[in-house]
Every structure is written in structure tokens, then in C-alpha cells.
Amino acid sequence: MLDLLKDLWGFMQARKKFWLAPIIVMLLLLGALIVLSQGSAVAPFIYTLF
């Protein structure tokens, strides 16, 4: 996993694509929110957002 992050950071530095960083961070946070909320009382409220 760490190698993937290093490769991604290297790509963004080489290609000057730093605008990708906020998109990637938001996708990771959204994925973590969905995974962590499964089976909890918060899940019905999160699924209504989508």
C-alpha cells in the first residue's frame, strides 16, 4: 500500500498533477466512511446521501 502511495505521489510530482490530490483524498474518505458505517445505526442516514 505504501508503494502505491509513493508511486502516486511520484506521478503527481513528475506530471504536475497536484489537483488530483484533493480528489483522491475525498474518494478515500468517502470509501472509509462507507466501510466503517456498515452495520451501524448511522448507515441509513449515510445511504440517503447517495
Side-chain angles (χ1 to χ4, degrees):
M1 184 66 179
L2 191 56
D3 289 334
L4 176 67
L5 293 175
K6 285 182 184 179
D7 287 341
L8 189 60
W9 182 251
F11 169 78
M12 288 191 309
Q13 280 184 331
R15 304 265 195 250
K16 305 293 188 234
K17 303 277 186 192
F18 293 110
W19 55 271
L20 287 173
I23 296 170
I24 294 169
V25 169
M26 289 305 295
L27 285 174
L28 289 174
L29 289 175
L30 185 63
L33 178 68
I34 290 172
V35 168
L36 293 176
S37 68
Q38 286 183 343
S40 70
V42 182
F45 300 110
I46 292 175
Y47 290 125
T48 59
L49 295 175
F50 304 105

